[in-house]
């Protein structure tokens, strides 16, 4: 059964908030079951990030969707410590359970017409994710040279190429995904990694204006083709590459 922790894969920030609220509701329940005066006094000290639940002015609607009523029986109520647990459960249900049931059933029905779902039972969750979404691990820098083609002015030993490989190694995971999205149109590599990319990732020298320092890298995503200007330094290349992969996403200006 899916829980608030599964929302992390859909909305990490919402998941974090729900887990905190869930912990708060649990503490309230434990305190209420205690008969001590200290426990009863502690009930009134329960807060969410320094604020009382009532002061958050939450109602029983799905966050971001004011017209989506989470629970009809609480439609006219505001969220407080007494109904906080029901509020969290209702959000979880709307986000990953009953709220998406019809959509999931429609997806299953359509998918089943293309590929019998029964046959997918031979795969576990991680294998299915790899097959449908690609590899989680992006670059193995030890063998990356074996799976990249260099052409039109560049070889594997060209200084700009060496700078690019060092930059990719320095990139964090999000920057590596952004680079892949920019060059291939997908933030993940296919099953098998870079070796399975087809067409092969190709890096060529970009011939543009008289000053390559002002040019940006450009791509042909349908061919996994990166046109890289011969920048004079690694620092300049990194600056231009980061600008291109962040500001150039979804734009034809750099194609």
């Amino acid at each position: 059964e899916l829980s608030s922790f599964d929302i992390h894969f859909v909305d990490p920030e919402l998941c974090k908030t729900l887990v905190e609220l869930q912990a708060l509701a649990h503490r309230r329940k434990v305190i209420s079951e205690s008969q001590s005066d200290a426990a009863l006094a502690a009930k009134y000290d329960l807060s969410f990030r320094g604020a009382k639940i009532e002061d958050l002015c939450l109602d029983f609607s799905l966050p971001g969707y004011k017209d989506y009523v989470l629970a009809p029986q609480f439609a006219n109520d505001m969220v407080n410590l007494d109904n906080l647990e029901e509020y969290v459960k209702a959000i979880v249900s709307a986000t990953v359970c009953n709220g998406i049931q019809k959509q999931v059933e429609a997806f299953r029905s359509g998918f089943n017409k293309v590929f019998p779902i029964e046959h997918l039972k031979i795969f576990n969750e991680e294998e299915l994710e790899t097959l449908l979404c690609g590899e989680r691990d992006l670059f193995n820098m030890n063998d990356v040279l074996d799976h990249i083609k260099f052409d039109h002015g560049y070889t594997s030993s060209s200084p700009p190429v060496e700078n690019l490989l060092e930059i990719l190694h320095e990139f964090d995971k999000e920057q590596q995904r952004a680079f892949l999205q920019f060059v291939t149109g997908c933030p993940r590599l296919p099953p098998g990694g870079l070796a399975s990319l087809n067409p092969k990732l190709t890096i060529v020298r970009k011939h543009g204006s008289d000053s390559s320092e002002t040019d940006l890298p450009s791509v042909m995503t349908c061919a996994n083709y990166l046109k890289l200007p011969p920048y004079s330094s690694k620092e300049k290349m990194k600056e231009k590459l980061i600008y291109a992969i962040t500001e150039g996403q979804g734009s034809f200006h750099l194609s």
Side-chain angles (χ1 to χ4, degrees), residues 197-208:
L197 193 63
N198 185 29
K200 199 171 186 177
L201 177 59
T202 301
I203 300 174
V204 302
R205 176 170 178 155
K206 182 175 183 178
H207 299 279

Side-chain angles (χ1 to χ4, degrees), residues 91-133:
I91 291 181
V92 173
S93 177
T95 306
V96 294
C97 299
N98 295 337
I100 59 171
Q101 184 176 354
K102 290 183 179 179
Q103 293 91 326
V104 171
E105 289 175 352
F107 174 81
R108 284 173 58 91
S109 176
F111 190 94
N112 195 52
K113 293 177 181 178
V114 178
F115 188 94
I117 292 179
E118 182 72 20
H119 296 169
L120 294 179
K121 291 183 178 180
I122 63 173
F123 302 108
N124 61 32
E125 180 181 337
E126 290 75 18
E127 290 170 334
L128 269 179
E129 181 184 356
T130 300
L131 285 172
L132 298 176
C133 304

Side-chain angles (χ1 to χ4, degrees), residues 19-37:
V19 169
E20 290 183 48
L21 291 176
Q22 205 167 32
L24 190 60
H26 178 71
R27 285 176 55 205
R28 181 262 179 197
K29 185 176 181 180
V30 171
I31 290 172
S32 296
E33 291 174 352
S34 174
Q35 300 301 316
S36 68
D37 293 338

Side-chain angles (χ1 to χ4, degrees), residues 30 39 59 103 113-114 171 188 220 229-230 232 234-236:
V30 171
D59 59 20
Q103 293 91 326
K113 293 177 181 178
V114 178
F171 274 175
R188 288 191 181 189
M220 291 190 294
S232 61
K234 173 183 168 183
E235 290 71 24
K236 175 61 68 173

Side-chain angles (χ1 to χ4, degrees), residues 1-209:
E1 183 179 350
L2 298 178
S3 69
S4 57
F5 293 99
D6 296 292
I7 296 178
H8 172 76
F9 299 100
V10 181
D11 189 332
E13 192 59 36
L14 176 61
C15 175
K16 180 181 177 181
T17 300
L18 290 179
V19 169
E20 290 183 48
L21 291 176
Q22 205 167 32
L24 190 60
H26 178 71
R27 285 176 55 205
R28 181 262 179 197
K29 185 176 181 180
V30 171
I31 290 172
S32 296
E33 291 174 352
S34 174
Q35 300 301 316
S36 68
D37 293 338
L40 292 174
K43 175 181 177 181
Y44 298 99
D45 292 332
L46 293 174
S47 61
F48 175 76
R49 300 178 185 177
K52 293 182 178 180
I53 291 296
E54 292 79 3
D55 293 341
L56 299 178
C57 299
L58 298 172
D59 59 20
F60 274 80
S61 61
L62 186 64
Y65 302 89
K66 297 296 293 182
D67 295 330
Y68 191 113
V69 179
L70 291 170
Q73 67 270 33
F74 295 110
N76 298 318
D77 296 343
M78 300 301 290
V79 179
N80 53 50
L81 280 174
D82 294 328
N83 59 27
L84 180 59
E85 186 174 7
E86 286 75 14
Y87 175 71
V88 173
K89 287 180 179 178
I91 291 181
V92 173
S93 177
T95 306
V96 294
C97 299
N98 295 337
I100 59 171
Q101 184 176 354
K102 290 183 179 179
Q103 293 91 326
V104 171
E105 289 175 352
F107 174 81
R108 284 173 58 91
S109 176
F111 190 94
N112 195 52
K113 293 177 181 178
V114 178
F115 188 94
I117 292 179
E118 182 72 20
H119 296 169
L120 294 179
K121 291 183 178 180
I122 63 173
F123 302 108
N124 61 32
E125 180 181 337
E126 290 75 18
E127 290 170 334
L128 269 179
E129 181 184 356
T130 300
L131 285 172
L132 298 176
C133 304
E135 296 282 358
R136 279 178 176 266
D137 296 328
L138 301 179
F139 295 107
N140 183 347
M141 300 308 298
N142 294 324
D143 60 6
V144 68
L145 280 176
D146 296 333
H147 308 300
I148 297 180
K149 178 182 178 182
F150 305 99
D151 210 346
H152 298 296
Y154 282 153
T155 67
S156 60
S157 60
S158 299
V161 169
E162 293 179 345
N163 287 338
L164 174 64
L165 297 181
E166 289 180 13
I167 291 169
L168 290 179
H169 182 68
E170 294 169 1
F171 274 175
D172 59 30
K173 293 296 183 183
E174 288 304 314
Q175 289 174 318
Q176 289 184 353
R177 289 191 186 94
F179 174 80
L180 279 176
Q181 179 76 49
F182 178 65
V183 178
T184 71
C186 182
R188 288 191 181 189
L189 289 169
L194 197 59
S196 299
L197 193 63
N198 185 29
K200 199 171 186 177
L201 177 59
T202 301
I203 300 174
V204 302
R205 176 170 178 155
K206 182 175 183 178
H207 299 279
S209 61

